[in-house]
Amino acid sequence: MFRLETTIICTFSVLFVAVKADFRARNCSQVAEACAGRGFSFTNIPLQEIPGPHLRVCPQGNTCCTQEMEDAFGQQSKLDFDHLLEETTETLRTTFVSRHERFDEFFLELLENTERSLHEMFQKTYGKPYLQNAEVFVNLFAELKRYYTGGNVNLEEMLNDFWSQLLERMFMLLNSQYVITEDYLECIIKYADQLKPFGDVPKKLKVQVTRAFIAARTFVQGLYVGREVAKRVSKVNGTPACLRVLTKMVYCPFCQGMPAVKPCKNYCLNVMKGCLANQADLNPEWNQYIDAMLLVAQRLEGPFNIESVMGPIDVKISEAIMILQDNSAEVSFRVFQGCGQPKPAGSTRSARGVSNVYSSRFRPYSPEERPTTAAGTSLDRLRIVWRTMQHSVIDIKEQLKLFKNFWSNLPEAICVEDKVTAGNVSEGECWNGHTKSRYFPEVVKDGLTSQVNNPEVDVDITRPDTIIRQQIMALRVVTNKLKNAYNGNDITFQDSNDEGSGSGSGSGCTEACTTESARFATEFPVVKADRSGPVDDSASLCAPSAALLTILTLSAQAFCQQWR
């Protein structure tokens, strides 16, 4: 009898514990607290589970959710998805924005400092003859800036025009005892290739300038395209099917009375691979783009280094002028043979003669004239800009390497432990989409076509996202440009004001830089427009820098030896 009473007592005790446990499982008080913590303000949260036939996303058994709650969870899922994508891509976007602006700023400052340095040195060295013909050099830098900022400038033709104009001005100064007409000047230019009045300087400088500027402009345009692609892809909305599954993954545990239970890692990965399938398809083109950017960066560090071209450009042009001076008699003689003897000028003008031009107009700078502190400061600033720009290229290279496979790694980056998923907890302690238990399905592969086997998200693999496809085309176009720039080749940019860059960064593009093949996709801008006008001849000028003026005191022969 005693044993029977003991058995009955034990049985009732077990039933009591089971009933109590079941009561706790159906208690919804934790759900109310969790919803309040997430910012929801529901007016009617069940205190205990209720039948759930009204639910359309979450399991329809007993539930802690009303239809109002499930609808609010669905709306919040869209905001959550947008926030997750924005947050996960923030480093990528801010890196491209800051590096694009920094490289652009340094390059334009380099051009401005180089132009200022040339102006100061040439005014001090050549004086009035330079000031009377300064527009030739002003136009040179204006065209270089216009090319860099996206203008339709043919660098080779522009440099040929510069040397032709310089030859015309120099020939007139060196032969001031004659009347040189426009027709006569045109004849001179026809013989320029045969005469080589400036030696090999124009040929060598043309190769260096074109390669360096093509690489620099294409590189900064590549940075712009990267930032635009990242910005636009991060704004792509989730599909209704994606948002439905996100609601199920994140908020259906609330309806099951388990708001603290997070999704299983593989469950989250399958959901995100389905939601971000189109983004993953961007990855192959993105990696090719990164590789092409790294190649051009190598050029900027090495043979196409803009510093090695723009730094001594004033010295190289001055060397060319000296070569023409030394060979002026021969050049003039051959021109007279081909174009005929020009008419003598008036008596006053002809009396000066060629010797006076040499002695007074194009005298070398005297080494006894010491540069001012301001000139030294200008040179120091130029060197600082050069070094900073080189460091900027190195920094960009390191950042680019980190962003390879960025888009295929996006699901993994989102489904991180404690942030979204349960992480490395016991397999049975995470939400698998139905209950707190192990998640069995395998993780699908990346990309749109692989989602046909996705067990969580219903993805229409026949309808790729339009915005993503546009960005893929934009990457293909800029990658082609980068590969050409790596080989020293340029692709003509259309010069049109019909379409703006729309960069949104405050760096306008005065001349649109799109191509027909990419017009429907990301536009090429590019860079900041020219921020300063040409150097004013009447402006107050600093004295030339010590290093440059010392170089100018060398003879033409020394210059030629150094150049070769």
Side-chain angles (χ1 to χ4, degrees), residues 338-359:
C339 299
Q341 188 80 15
K343 295 180 180 180
S347 58
T348 303
R349 186 175 181 184
S350 62
R352 290 201 304 251
V354 177
S355 60
N356 288 336
V357 173
Y358 278 119
S359 61

Side-chain angles (χ1 to χ4, degrees), residues 21 31 50 85 107 130 132 134 157 283 303 312 314 363 391 405 425 450 467 480 483 487 491 508 525 536 548 550:
V31 176
I50 59 175
L85 204 54
F107 192 92
Y130 163 71
Q132 291 174 336
E157 291 181 2
N283 206 62
D314 45 8
R363 62 180 178 82
H391 292 153
N405 296 311
V425 299
S450 298
I467 295 176
N480 184 46
K483 290 179 178 179
N487 294 318
I491 294 181
D536 187 354
L548 295 176
T550 301

Side-chain angles (χ1 to χ4, degrees), residues 279-305:
Q279 285 84 338
D281 279 351
L282 194 71
N283 206 62
E285 299 296 338
W286 177 262
N287 284 346
Q288 291 187 39
Y289 154 75
I290 294 291
D291 289 338
M293 285 289 290
L294 291 172
L295 287 175
V296 176
Q298 290 177 9
R299 290 298 201 200
L300 290 174
E301 289 181 299
F304 298 176
N305 186 341

Side-chain angles (χ1 to χ4, degrees), residues 386-531:
W386 289 338
R387 288 195 298 267
T388 307
M389 189 170 176
Q390 284 301 99
H391 292 153
S392 175
V393 173
I394 295 172
D395 171 65
I396 292 171
K397 281 179 59 180
E398 296 305 313
Q399 292 294 328
L400 288 172
K401 293 176 184 177
L402 298 176
F403 293 135
K404 288 199 71 172
N405 296 311
F406 180 86
W407 302 106
S408 62
N409 290 334
L410 206 52
E412 193 76 38
I414 291 177
C415 296
V416 293
E417 181 179 354
D418 294 333
K419 182 178 180 181
V420 176
T421 68
N424 296 323
V425 299
S426 172
E427 291 182 345
E429 297 297 320
C430 57
W431 174 254
N432 65 7
H434 303 280
T435 185
K436 184 172 72 171
S437 183
R438 180 180 177 183
Y439 183 77
F440 290 96
E442 296 291 329
V443 177
V444 297
K445 296 181 179 179
D446 300 311
L448 190 62
T449 57
S450 298
Q451 303 316 304
V452 69
N453 298 317
N454 194 311
E456 305 302 335
V457 189
D458 184 14
V459 181
D460 186 352
I461 63 173
T462 65
R463 298 182 62 184
D465 184 87
T466 303
I467 295 176
I468 301 293
R469 297 299 134 177
Q470 289 175 350
Q471 305 318 302
I472 289 175
M473 289 301 301
L475 288 174
R476 287 176 181 170
V477 171
V478 76
T479 299
N480 184 46
K481 293 180 184 295
L482 289 163
K483 290 179 178 179
N484 276 278
Y486 174 76
N487 294 318
N489 301 321
D490 198 8
I491 294 181
T492 302
F493 281 77
Q494 184 173 352
D495 191 1
S496 168
N497 289 319
D498 294 336
E499 297 184 34
S501 67
S503 63
S505 66
S507 60
C509 180
T510 56
E511 302 175 60
C513 316
T514 58
T515 61
E516 289 297 330
S517 60
R519 186 172 295 246
F520 60 88
T522 297
E523 297 160 351
F524 292 92
V526 245
V527 291
K528 298 178 182 175
D530 185 1
R531 298 175 298 185

